Amino acid sequence: MSRTVIRGGLVITAADEIHADVLIEDGRIAALAASGTPAAEAFTAERTLDATGKYVIPGGVDAHTHMEMPFGGTRASDTFETGTRAAAWGGTTTIVDFAVQSVGSSLREGLDAWHAKAEGTCAIDYGFHMIVSEVNQETLKEMDLLVEEGVTSFKQFMAYPGVFYSDDGQILRAMQRAAGNGGLIMMHAENGIAIDVLIEQALERGETAPRHHGEVRKALLEAEATHRAIRLAQVAGAPLYVVHVSAQEAVAELTRARDEGLPVFGETCPQYLFLSADNLAEPGFEGARYVCSTPLRPKEHQAALWKGLRTDDLQVVSTDHCPFCFTGQKELGRGDFSRIPNGIPGVENRMDLLHQAVVDGHISRRRWIEIACAAPARMFGLYPKKGTIAPGSDADIVLYDPHAEQVVSAETHHMNVDYSAYEGRRLTGRVETVLSRGELVITEREYTGRAGHGVYLPRSTCQYLG
Ligand SMILES: NC(=O)NCCC(=O)O
Ligand SMILES: [Zn+2]
Ligand SMILES: [Zn+2]
């Protein structure tokens, strides 16, 4: 039996804060006891980690990543190996990535392809959602099978006509299926048909710079799609999780639906909380770094997102990590913003940025852990194995120094991408040590993990539903 004890830290979960020692046995949390008490003194182990002055928090659960995803005529630049290593550096110990059904192929083929990419390469544990690109009798049946084997959530797109787009009828059918099999539909809510008209008109006017990406993907078209998705889910009797919410009008739709008692959930991402349309408007082609969809919004939207996170109208912060290098990838869209590959890197930055939100007074420490660890684990059927520090849970634990100062930079980050969306940002707080199932992956800011340590996580269904 291998044992580790973490002594003297402030253990923070979504529910509690307590100065406690944590005993780990064979990769799981065996016991907690208030530091200095006889119960804690009785913990014995081969390895002791001193967490004095540190927070001891659950490893982050990032429920929205796209490692090596083919998109926009290229491929996301992090592999499962580089992306999960970078995640670990940033205090995230679980990702849920998106397997993609290619048009003309089955869900099974898409899922198998993603298993093949990830297997034996990940530094931390991983699960999959399934992107459903085609809804037909076969794929609807496959959804049932996937839920049974632990792929319990399905992403559909109201955006990207001709790529991932589903029309309202296809969405309704998938939602009806999910209502029956316990699956959770994750919606990219933007009116892609209307946006394509606006893109065409903007390009005709010669508006080709990155900032026009934000202008054509209007907040109202996010809100309209969010409203439509909510009502389709209501008709189907299905729960709904809206991904990457950025517009205050979309938050208002979610709030209204939740006030009506509907099982509707929302996710936002650090880029919408910390960046804005001002970044997209950086001179020349510089703003291409910040092209993602939904787009970065004017700063005024941020207050509604923070409020939504405080009031639980938004439950989860994920990264939507989808990195494309500026050189050679983002550059595909020089002269035509609609050809800039959509996506922003951030899997390494999320826990730190959200800690900064604690420092800045936007959220409490426990809410930090709720939205970054516990809620995504519950939402996607991984709790309490992941997302908390409790006896029986996997020993996915971060020793976090709340006083360390850092400056974010592509020079020092570990993501396989040539820029940082947060370049030069000063943050208070830093990950010191990370354990994944009791194994040291980061040890006092040295990488001590290995590719292949991470295992696939079959998931149960959403734990917010009865
Ligand atoms: N969000 C984004 O811009 N890229 C990744 C694909 C998606 O999540 O829609
Ligand atoms: Zn999306
Ligand atoms: Zn995404």
Side-chain angles (χ1 to χ4, degrees):
M1 186 185 296
S2 80
R3 289 189 193 185
T4 301
V5 64
I6 304 172
R7 293 214 185 265
L10 178 65
V11 177
I12 308 173
T13 65
D16 284 309
E17 298 188 3
I18 171 177
H19 284 279
D21 296 358
V22 182
L23 180 66
I24 298 167
E25 274 179 8
D26 291 338
R28 293 206 178 166
I29 295 163
L32 286 96
S35 301
T37 61
E41 299 303 323
F43 291 167
T44 55
E46 298 85 66
R47 182 167 58 198
T48 299
L49 302 176
D50 179 10
T52 309
K54 310 271 175 10
Y55 295 161
V56 178
I57 60 173
V61 177
D62 190 342
H64 190 153
T65 67
H66 301 281
M67 304 304 173
E68 52 193 289
M69 181 174 80
F71 195 43
T74 182
R75 181 179 296 265
S77 60
D78 261 317
T79 61
F80 278 89
E81 181 169 350
T82 62
T84 57
R85 192 166 57 215
W89 272 103
T92 285
T93 51
T94 302
I95 60 163
V96 190
D97 201 88
F98 288 83
V100 180
Q101 178 208 10
S102 308
V103 174
S105 302
S106 62
L107 300 188
R108 178 86 264 154
E109 285 168 298
L111 182 59
D112 286 350
W114 256 256
H115 272 298
K117 290 178 208 238
E119 200 179 343
T121 73
C122 292
I124 54 162
D125 294 349
Y126 61 97
F128 290 123
H129 313 285
M130 188 81 227
I131 289 180
V132 180
S133 307
E134 254 185 314
V135 176
N136 56 42
Q137 282 315 312
E138 289 312 308
T139 52
L140 289 170
K141 278 189 218 142
E142 282 191 288
M143 284 174 68
D144 298 349
L145 300 174
L146 261 54
V147 170
E148 277 170 27
E149 72 174 69
V151 177
T152 56
S153 38
F154 302 90
K155 186 172 178 192
Q156 291 192 291
F157 290 77
M158 303 169 102
Y160 307 139
V163 188
F164 294 133
Y165 175 80
S166 292
D167 66 25
D168 290 357
Q170 291 163 331
I171 289 168
L172 183 63
R173 283 184 197 280
M175 286 175 165
Q176 288 169 331
R177 202 74 185 195
N181 66 24
L184 180 61
I185 298 293
M186 306 171 75
M187 191 58 70
H188 180 132
E190 284 188 295
N191 185 328
I193 300 286
I195 287 169
D196 270 10
V197 171
L198 297 180
I199 291 174
E200 194 182 309
Q201 292 170 344
L203 292 174
E204 278 167 8
R205 288 193 297 271
E207 295 170 359
T208 61
R211 73 184 161 86
H212 299 293
H213 170 84
E215 288 165 5
V216 298
R217 303 189 86 90
K218 292 188 180 302
L220 280 179
L221 295 177
E222 182 188 340
E224 182 275 327
T226 303
H227 176 83
R228 193 156 30 100
I230 289 167
R231 296 310 164 195
L232 289 170
Q234 187 177 12
V235 168
L240 174 71
Y241 177 94
V242 183
V243 295
H244 47 53
V245 174
S246 63
Q248 59 189 353
E249 295 87 342
V251 180
E253 294 291 346
L254 292 167
T255 303
R256 180 149 61 118
R258 289 179 61 81
D259 287 349
E260 291 172 20
L262 295 174
V264 167
F265 308 99
E267 162 200 277
T268 191
C269 311
Q271 51 269 36
Y272 307 120
L273 297 165
F274 290 91
L275 304 172
S276 76
D278 293 348
N279 296 98
L280 270 175
E282 285 177 14
F285 191 64
E286 298 301 305
R289 291 179 175 81
Y290 307 96
V291 165
C292 61
S293 296
T294 59
L296 302 185
R297 302 289 180 198
K299 273 204 180 70
E300 301 78 75
H301 290 258
Q302 290 173 354
L305 298 175
W306 287 120
K307 182 171 176 220
L309 286 172
R310 282 191 298 270
T311 58
D312 206 38
D313 287 317
L314 298 171
Q315 292 74 33
V316 171
V317 175
S318 310
T319 57
D320 194 6
H321 175 75
C322 192
F324 297 103
C325 289
F326 184 78
T327 304
Q329 292 195 295
K330 291 287 186 183
E331 281 178 333
L332 293 169
R334 272 195 198 277
D336 178 350
F337 69 83
S338 72
R339 292 183 185 277
I340 301 169
N342 283 206
I344 289 187
V347 75
E348 190 171 347
N349 307 121
R350 182 184 67 127
M351 297 298 286
D352 287 330
L353 287 164
L354 291 177
H355 179 259
Q356 186 63 42
V358 175
V359 173
D360 293 345
H362 289 296
I363 51 174
S364 68
R365 289 192 289 219
R366 275 178 275 168
R367 190 68 186 156
W368 170 42
I369 302 307
E370 173 76 27
I371 62 183
C373 310
R378 276 197 206 97
M379 192 68 70
F380 297 108
L382 289 168
Y383 195 87
K385 182 177 170 65
K386 305 294 187 188
T388 192
I389 298 179
S393 298
D394 282 357
D396 290 5
I397 297 179
V398 176
L399 274 57
Y400 196 84
D401 183 344
H403 304 297
E405 299 287 328
Q406 60 164 311
V407 180
V408 181
S409 174
E411 297 288 310
T412 48
H413 76 198
H414 304 86
M415 299 176 285
N416 184 38
V417 61
D418 64 0
Y419 74 96
S420 171
Y422 306 98
E423 186 68 38
R425 191 172 287 257
R426 290 178 181 281
L427 299 178
T428 301
R430 197 175 65 171
V431 170
E432 285 298 317
T433 290
V434 178
L435 296 101
S436 162
R437 282 177 284 107
E439 300 280 315
L440 283 162
V441 183
I442 305 290
T443 310
E444 296 181 11
R445 302 217 46 82
E446 287 285 325
Y447 181 68
T448 50
R450 64 177 173 86
H453 164 80
V455 297
Y456 170 66
L457 298 167
R459 298 178 289 111
S460 62
T461 53
C462 175
Q463 293 163 298
Y464 285 103
L465 305 167

